[in-house]
Amino acid sequence: MADALTAREAAALAADAFEEHPQTTAEDRSGDGPLGWDGYARSRARAEARTGERESVVWGTAQIGGRPAVLVSFEFRFLGGSLGRRTGDLLEAAYAHARAERLPLVSLIATGGSRMQEGMVALGQLQRVARASALTRAAGLPQLAVVRDPTTGGGWATLGAGADVILALPGAQVGFAGSRVRPPGADPSAYSAEGQLAAGQIDAVVPADRLRPALSLWLRLLTGGTREPVPGGAPVPPPPALDGAYGAAATGWEAVRRARARHRPRARAYLDAWFDERADVHGDRCGGTDPGMICGFGLREGRVVAYAAQAGTATRPAGYRAAARLIRLADRLGIPVLTLVDTPGAANDAEAERGGAGAAIADVFAAVASVRVPVTTLVIGEGGSGGALALAAPGNTWVTPDSYFSVIAPELAAAILKRDPSETPATADQLRLRPRDLVELGVVRGIVARAE
C-alpha cells in the first residue's frame, strides 16, 4: 500500500520551507497521448481533480536545515506517480536549475514506474533523467534520494538508486519490480526498504519524524567540500592515538601481539573521538555489505572529511567496493579523505574469491591513486598485506604505537618459508614491521602521539 503522504505533505515533512518553481513547460493537451490510448485524457483529468496537481511530480527550491536545495516530490495519487513525457520535462528542468544555481538535489520518490499509456515515449524519459543526473554529478553537486512507499521501476532505477545517498522511510516497498510483476512466491522482504538496506542498496532507513534532521545533516556533509577539487590541497592531519597505545615495541612479534590485543581501540572509537558529528553510508550498491568497513562523512572542527575505516576483520569484497564508492564520491564533491587501516588482510575464502576480491581491491587501489583530493591514512592496528595497503595514501600514511604493517602475516611468512611455527617471532623481526621500522624504511611518515 502506498504511503498516505501527498507530494506537498512529503515536501513539508522534509523541508523547513518549499517554494514551487513556475512550470515553464507546456501542459500536455494531446488528447489520449502519443499512443492514442483510449481514455488516457480522462484518466489525467481525474488525477488532476483528485490531487490538485497537473503532473506526478512537483519541484521547487527548499530550505532544509538552513541550506538551500532543489526539491523534487512525487505525487503517487497522480497515476501512481508514473513517469510520462511531461514528467520528464519537469525532472529535466529541476536538474537544470540545480546546476544553474549550484544547489544539491533532493528527491522524495513514490512511483510505480513508467506510464504505460505513453508506451516507449514514457520509458524513454528514463534516459533523459539519467543524462540530467549524470550532468549534475559531473558538475560536482550532490544528489540525495528519499524512497517512499512504493518506489519501483524506472523511478527507482534512476532518481533513487542513482543518488549519492539514499534514505528510505520504514516499510517502504523498494525495488525494480513492482508487486504485480514479480515472480510468484518471491520473497517480499527483498523488495522492502529494510531488505534493500541489508543488501547494501540504500544507506539508512529513517523514521518520518527524523527525516528532516537526517537530510539537514547530510546536506551539511555533502555540501561542505570545495566543489572544485584542487590537486595538492591540504590533507587532514591524522588523528592522535587513543588511550591504550603503548611505547615502542621491543620486537616485531611484540608489535604484532599489541596490534592484535582485544582491548585495543578500534575504528569506531577513533571515528567517534575525532569527529564532532558524522553519518555512515552503507553497502556497495552491488548486493553486499561488510561490517568490517565503515564509510561515511563527518565534521571535524567545521571541516567536512570523508572516511573509510577498516574495523579489524578480514575485509570482504563488498567492503572494498563500498570504500571505492566513498572515495570517488568525496573526490567528486571536493572533500578530503581519511582512511583507517586495521585488517589482518583481505578475506581469502572461496566466497570472497567468487565475490571478486581481486577486482574489488584493485578498484580501491585505483580510487586512491586517481583522486584529486588529499588522502590521509592512519594505521591503527593490523596492516595485513595488500588488503591493507589498498587503503593507504602514498606518501601520507601514519601509524599508531600499537600497530604494525607487513607484506604478510608472520605466521604465513614462516609457513611459506617452510619454517617451524616456533620461528614465527623471529620471522616477525626479519619483516621489520614495527612502527619505528616502518618510519626508518620510509614506508610511513611517522608515529602519531597519544591523545592528550
Side-chain angles (χ1 to χ4, degrees):
M1 180 180 295
D3 66 37
L5 294 172
T6 69
R8 296 177 193 278
E9 288 171 344
L13 185 70
D16 305 312
F18 172 70
E19 182 178 353
E20 185 177 3
H21 199 278
Q23 298 187 8
T24 57
T25 57
E27 292 192 45
D28 187 353
R29 298 299 181 190
S30 55
D32 284 331
L35 304 186
W37 187 288
D38 186 34
Y40 180 39
R42 294 192 298 273
S43 295
R44 290 202 312 270
R46 287 194 297 269
E48 289 185 25
R50 180 169 59 250
T51 64
E53 307 295 353
R54 290 178 289 170
E55 249 304 332
S56 57
V57 298
V58 297
W59 76 272
T61 53
Q63 289 287 327
I64 303 175
R67 290 182 179 259
V70 170
L71 185 69
V72 172
S73 190
F74 277 70
E75 177 55 73
F76 188 79
R77 296 181 304 155
F78 194 106
L79 300 181
S82 58
L83 280 72
R85 181 167 50 193
R86 180 167 160 76
T87 323
D89 291 341
L90 296 173
L91 292 173
E92 193 172 57
Y95 276 105
H97 187 73
R99 293 193 300 275
E101 298 298 324
R102 302 292 305 170
L103 295 175
L105 188 137
V106 178
S107 300
L108 311 176
I109 310 169
T111 175
S114 299
R115 195 166 298 171
M116 292 182 298
Q117 298 93 329
E118 294 187 22
M120 285 301 298
V121 173
L123 191 65
Q125 303 310 306
L126 303 182
Q127 293 174 320
R128 294 178 68 189
V129 173
R131 174 169 172 74
S133 177
L135 290 172
T136 304
R137 188 177 298 113
L141 299 169
Q143 300 171 54
L144 291 87
V146 177
V147 290
R148 296 153 52 201
D149 184 30
T151 298
T152 61
W156 166 237
T158 51
L159 285 94
D164 299 316
V165 172
I166 308 169
L167 309 179
L169 295 182
Q173 178 189 168
V174 182
F176 187 64
S179 59
R180 297 183 182 181
V181 298
R182 297 172 194 158
D187 179 6
S189 67
Y191 304 87
S192 68
E194 291 75 13
Q196 296 286 10
L197 178 67
Q201 305 290 4
I202 65 175
D203 294 300
V205 175
V206 181
D209 62 352
R210 297 298 304 162
L211 180 59
R212 192 182 302 176
L215 286 173
S216 176
L217 174 58
W218 274 114
L219 286 176
R220 291 202 306 277
L221 296 175
L222 296 182
T223 59
T226 63
R227 297 183 179 177
E228 296 295 337
V230 178
V236 297
L242 295 182
D243 291 341
Y246 304 86
T251 66
W253 187 238
E254 182 183 355
V256 172
R257 292 181 64 187
R258 288 179 177 182
R260 293 176 179 173
R262 298 181 68 178
H263 65 273
R264 174 181 56 78
R266 306 284 168 158
R268 288 198 184 277
Y270 273 89
L271 294 173
D272 290 343
W274 201 66
F275 285 109
D276 302 317
E277 57 181 337
R278 63 185 183 87
D280 293 347
V281 297
H282 181 78
D284 66 354
R285 296 293 188 269
C286 297
T289 61
D290 180 5
M293 181 71 78
I294 308 166
C295 298
F297 294 84
L299 280 166
R300 163 74 178 179
E301 297 178 348
R303 189 180 188 187
V304 179
V305 180
Y307 54 85
Q310 292 169 315
T313 57
T315 306
R316 307 203 64 80
Y320 290 114
R321 284 191 288 266
R325 175 171 79 92
L326 180 282
I327 292 168
R328 290 196 173 101
L329 175 57
D331 186 47
R332 177 156 53 82
L333 300 178
I335 296 172
V337 177
L338 170 70
T339 64
L340 300 181
V341 169
D342 185 10
T343 180
N348 58 7
D349 53 72
E351 181 183 356
E353 293 295 346
R354 284 192 292 266
I361 296 168
D363 198 30
V364 177
F365 270 116
V368 172
S370 62
V371 293
R372 298 160 293 172
V373 294
V375 181
T376 300
T377 298
L378 178 63
V379 184
I380 62 172
E382 293 194 80
S385 193
L389 187 67
L391 281 174
N396 197 28
T397 293
W398 304 74
V399 291
T400 63
D402 50 352
S403 68
Y404 78 89
F405 215 150
S406 178
V407 64
I408 193 171
E411 299 92 333
L412 298 179
I416 290 173
L417 296 171
K418 299 182 179 179
R419 295 178 176 178
D420 188 270
S422 63
E423 297 184 65
T424 295
T427 302
D429 286 337
Q430 286 183 290
L431 288 169
R432 296 200 65 190
L433 48 71
R434 297 174 300 172
R436 66 184 184 187
D437 293 327
L438 299 171
V439 174
E440 292 172 2
L441 290 169
V443 175
V444 302
R445 289 186 61 178
I447 304 169
V448 297
R450 191 181 301 194
E452 294 292 334

